[in-house]
Amino acid sequence: MLNQLTVQHFAIVQFLELEFSNGMTAITGETGAGKSIAIDALGLCLGSRAEANMVRVGTDKAEISARFTLTDTPHAKQWLLNNDLESEDDNNECLLRRTVNKEGRSRAYINGTPVPLSQLKSLGQLLVNIHGQHAHQSLLKNDIQLSIIDEYAGHHQLLQKVKDTYQGWHFLNKQLKQQQFSQQEKQARKQLLEYQIQELDEFALGEDEFEHIETEHKRLANSGALLENCQITLNKLSEGDEIDALSLLRSSVSALESQVENDKSLENIITTLQDSLIQIEDACYELRHVSENLELDPEQFEELETRMSDALSLARKHQVQPEFLYDHHQKLSKEFKQLNNSELQIEQLRADLEVAEVAYYQHANKLSQSRCRHAKDLSKKITASIQKLNMQDGVFDIEIAENINHALSPLGLDNVEFKVKTNAGQTLQNIAKVASGGELSRIGLAMQVIISQRVATPTLIFDEVDVGISGATASVVGKLLRSLGENTQIFCVTHLPQVAGNGHQQMFVTKQSNGKHTNTNMIKLSETGPPQRISSLVRGDNITEHTLANARELLVSA
């Protein structure tokens, strides 16, 4: 229940502090006085959109705070507990606060803790339900009609399941379409790859093979000069006809060894020369091995030359360096494999999509059945209610049919149509075709009252929902709202004395201006105040004893 509302520098309000009670509170005042400003301020505190023009001219920011008692609101208490936002001082109270600066930026607080706007909205929906003055016009919209049935039936969990399964189906369907859209292009790419890979497979170039081919080709191409120079070097080192390096070293070592007894310092020189002998002998061995293996094989050379030429040709064709041809081959093979996998992915997506569609239809059909069942019950109640609202021959009916295009939707598979018969002898027709403004207002009010009785929101606000209603019908509306206020906190902004007179308490809105500044104020009327104010609703400024008597009669009747 809303206990207190404090408004500062909001629109034409300088400062307003209001205390509220249980029951029905009627809010009255002259047209343009600002009766809906307090409702707008509360809406802002509950998470509605903030704008810069909400800040009073000449001030830096607007601030609104609302204090609620949570004794009869277990859902809100649990929400606060789940989000670690419960009040430290009193678990049965909750304080919401919203500030808006003159640039239009706002901040939100729950029990003194800064919170994102989404959290403020989420909690606000559990505390207050606001019915605007043009709500009945929205009855003509199909999605609003559907939401009315769902709200009456309490389909929140079932709707969430339908929405979740729809989103899963929609995601898979989108992926499948994307895959199918690119499949034609992939198929063309796959055919090209298949040809290229077959060509590379047939050539079968091994890893690092081109470098080996290049090395061998170079060696064989220069084998004659290599062999000649190897032989010349061997002759100079060890195989000379008259003299060679090894013979000279051996004779030198022998000559020095004969003199080592005469000079011990020769030992190091002899050791160095012996090491050189060993190294030259090793080099000669390697040269003989190279010479023996440098066979002039024209066939081998031709094979190498052909393979290298083919490798160079393939490399030019694939626009890569020949040493990277093997890596390119592996890359194309990997891409081809991925394209094959994409076809498997499409098949898997189709299978997953079928499963998701079955799950969606299970929940959507269950939702449809529940809607049809509750639509019959709601139709009967609305019919009974509008007949009390001076539509004695009125009949209201809700028709639910499957969507003709069978398109999946997060709201289910149903099309809804509100039909009404306002006079005897007529047939049921679409509400948009036959209902006048006043009849539409009465039907909308009947719906709001009926649905409000089933929604566990502790505070209901009706902002001029009685537009287009007058006379005896207004009296019935007033009694209807007062009856609703016996168990729920009700706020009703109204111009009708028959409605205002049914309030458990009365609040009056005034507007003052000094030529430079305008200010709106709201006061709670004392026991002697209501007759005077209700009389002004009947006759304006011309208040007589007769109008006062009528006002007292309305209050006594209530």
Side-chain angles (χ1 to χ4, degrees):
M1 183 187 83
L2 178 62
N3 280 345
Q4 185 184 62
L5 179 67
T6 304
V7 183
Q8 187 171 5
H9 299 154
F10 178 79
I12 57 174
V13 174
Q14 184 173 6
F15 181 79
L16 199 59
E17 188 172 65
L18 305 170
E19 302 284 341
F20 299 112
S21 307
N22 285 320
M24 173 183 170
T25 299
I27 302 173
T28 59
E30 294 295 328
T31 300
K35 294 186 294 301
S36 296
I37 283 182
I39 309 301
D40 294 339
L42 179 60
L44 183 68
C45 202
L46 296 171
S48 62
R49 181 180 177 182
E51 297 180 0
N53 60 10
M54 292 177 171
V55 181
R56 184 178 171 87
V57 176
T59 62
D60 293 328
K61 70 174 182 178
E63 182 172 337
I64 300 96
S65 61
R67 187 179 300 278
F68 294 86
T69 300
L70 305 180
T71 308
D72 299 322
T73 319
H75 296 300
K77 289 177 70 173
Q78 188 61 47
W79 187 96
L80 290 168
L81 185 64
N82 293 342
N83 290 275
D84 295 325
L85 290 169
E86 64 269 30
S87 173
E88 295 180 1
D89 300 329
D90 188 349
N91 288 332
N92 284 324
E93 279 202 349
C94 174
L95 178 65
L96 306 185
R97 186 165 72 93
R98 185 94 179 270
T99 62
V100 184
N101 65 21
K102 58 185 178 181
E103 284 79 30
R105 292 191 294 271
S106 72
R107 291 183 178 180
Y109 303 85
I110 297 176
N111 288 327
T113 302
V115 295
L117 189 59
S118 58
Q119 281 195 314
L120 193 66
K121 285 182 178 179
S122 180
L123 177 59
Q125 291 171 357
L126 300 175
L127 296 172
V128 178
N129 197 343
I130 299 178
H131 300 277
Q133 55 184 299
H134 303 296
H136 61 278
Q137 296 291 340
S138 64
L139 293 178
L140 306 179
K141 299 179 181 178
N142 186 266
D143 57 334
I144 298 297
Q145 294 175 357
L146 209 54
S147 69
I148 288 171
I149 299 169
D150 290 330
E151 190 172 3
Y152 174 76
H155 282 154
H156 307 296
Q157 292 184 352
L158 191 50
L159 267 172
Q160 189 61 48
K161 288 180 180 178
V162 171
K163 183 178 180 181
D164 291 343
T165 51
Y166 170 80
Q167 288 177 339
W169 173 86
H170 180 71
F171 175 75
L172 290 170
N173 190 49
K174 184 178 179 181
Q175 280 198 317
L176 179 60
K177 286 181 178 179
Q178 288 174 343
Q179 290 279 4
Q180 290 173 330
F181 180 76
S182 61
Q183 190 62 21
Q184 186 174 357
E185 182 180 337
K186 287 180 179 179
Q187 193 62 33
R189 176 64 177 166
K190 184 180 173 182
Q191 290 175 354
L192 174 63
L193 286 176
E194 195 170 14
Y195 167 75
Q196 291 178 329
I197 291 170
Q198 183 180 0
E199 189 177 42
L200 290 169
D201 283 344
E202 290 173 357
F203 187 66
L205 184 70
E207 188 174 7
D208 300 326
E209 184 186 349
F210 182 79
E211 289 85 344
H212 176 72
I213 291 172
E214 196 172 31
T215 301
E216 281 296 299
H217 181 272
K218 187 175 182 180
R219 189 174 71 87
L220 292 176
N222 295 281
S223 59
L226 281 170
L227 186 60
E228 181 181 353
N229 281 283
C230 284
Q231 289 296 332
I232 292 172
T233 304
L234 276 171
N235 288 335
K236 289 180 179 179
L237 290 176
S238 64
E239 298 178 358
D241 292 336
E242 297 180 356
I243 191 168
D244 54 53
L246 281 176
S247 300
L248 290 172
L249 278 173
R250 289 190 186 106
S251 63
S252 298
V253 169
S254 179
L256 290 173
E257 285 178 339
S258 66
Q259 299 298 320
V260 73
E261 291 182 358
N262 300 323
D263 187 349
K264 295 294 182 179
S265 63
L266 293 176
E267 290 179 349
N268 291 334
I269 298 172
I270 292 170
T271 300
T272 301
L273 290 173
Q274 288 174 336
D275 290 341
S276 298
L277 273 171
I278 294 170
Q279 290 178 351
I280 292 173
E281 287 172 348
D282 289 342
C284 290
Y285 175 80
E286 293 292 335
L287 277 170
R288 287 189 195 95
H289 180 73
V290 170
S291 298
E292 290 170 359
N293 285 281
L294 269 174
E295 298 179 4
L296 298 177
D297 188 345
E299 290 184 4
Q300 182 186 6
F301 179 73
E302 186 177 351
E303 288 176 3
L304 284 172
E305 191 164 35
T306 300
R307 190 151 180 81
M308 188 168 76
S309 176
D310 290 344
L312 290 168
S313 177
L314 272 175
R316 284 193 298 271
K317 189 174 183 179
H318 288 268
Q319 297 182 340
V320 295
Q321 294 298 321
E323 58 267 28
F324 299 129
L325 192 60
Y326 174 83
D327 292 336
H328 180 66
H329 185 187
Q330 304 308 308
K331 180 181 176 182
L332 294 184
S333 298
K334 184 178 179 181
E335 185 183 352
F336 185 76
K337 185 177 180 180
Q338 288 174 342
L339 288 175
N340 281 332
N341 289 339
S342 71
E343 292 181 356
L344 295 176
Q345 288 174 358
I346 288 177
E347 293 304 316
Q348 186 61 49
L349 278 173
R350 286 197 181 102
D352 292 343
L353 192 63
E354 288 181 8
V355 173
E357 191 169 327
V358 169
Y360 171 83
Y361 274 108
Q362 284 178 343
H363 295 297
N365 288 332
K366 189 176 179 180
L367 177 62
S368 296
Q369 293 167 7
S370 183
R371 280 172 174 167
C372 290
R373 188 169 61 253
H374 285 92
K376 291 179 181 177
D377 185 45
L378 182 57
S379 296
K380 291 178 182 177
K381 289 185 177 180
I382 293 174
T383 296
S385 185
I386 63 175
Q387 286 177 355
K388 291 179 182 178
L389 293 172
N390 203 23
M391 291 175 65
Q392 293 87 348
D393 297 313
V395 176
F396 183 85
D397 186 58
I398 300 173
E399 286 190 4
I400 295 178
E402 187 177 350
N403 196 322
I404 55 174
N405 58 13
H406 303 288
L408 275 64
S409 159
L411 297 177
L413 299 168
D414 304 314
N415 269 338
V416 64
E417 185 178 14
F418 282 4
K419 289 188 172 183
V420 67
K421 181 180 74 170
T422 58
N423 299 298
Q426 291 181 330
T427 57
L428 285 166
Q429 296 185 58
N430 189 292
I431 191 172
K433 295 180 179 178
V434 297
S436 64
E439 289 168 339
L440 196 60
S441 179
R442 277 175 274 177
I443 294 170
L445 182 59
M447 284 183 185
Q448 291 173 17
V449 171
I450 291 168
I451 292 171
S452 297
Q453 292 170 336
R454 296 180 62 105
V455 177
T457 307
T459 300
L460 302 175
I461 297 175
F462 295 92
D463 187 8
E464 296 192 30
V465 295
D466 49 16
V467 172
I469 296 172
S470 61
T473 305
S475 180
V476 176
V477 169
K479 291 176 181 178
L480 194 63
L481 292 174
R482 183 180 179 90
S483 175
L484 189 61
E486 296 295 336
N487 300 310
T488 307
Q489 186 183 37
I490 301 291
F491 293 92
C492 182
V493 178
T494 182
H495 286 285
L496 300 177
Q498 299 94 324
V499 175
N502 279 278
H504 293 93
Q505 48 267 335
Q506 310 283 333
M507 302 201 78
F508 185 71
V509 180
T510 62
K511 182 171 70 174
Q512 300 87 30
S513 174
N514 60 9
K516 294 182 179 180
H517 302 285
T518 302
N519 187 45
T520 285
N521 196 19
M522 185 183 292
I523 56 173
K524 187 174 183 180
L525 299 179
S526 64
E527 291 185 3
T528 58
Q532 188 81 8
R533 296 306 178 187
I534 291 174
S535 296
S536 69
L537 293 177
V538 180
R539 294 297 299 274
D541 293 333
N542 186 19
I543 299 174
T544 65
E545 285 299 323
H546 181 67
T547 56
L548 282 170
N550 286 340
R552 292 190 187 99
E553 185 178 349
L554 283 172
L555 292 169
V556 170
S557 175

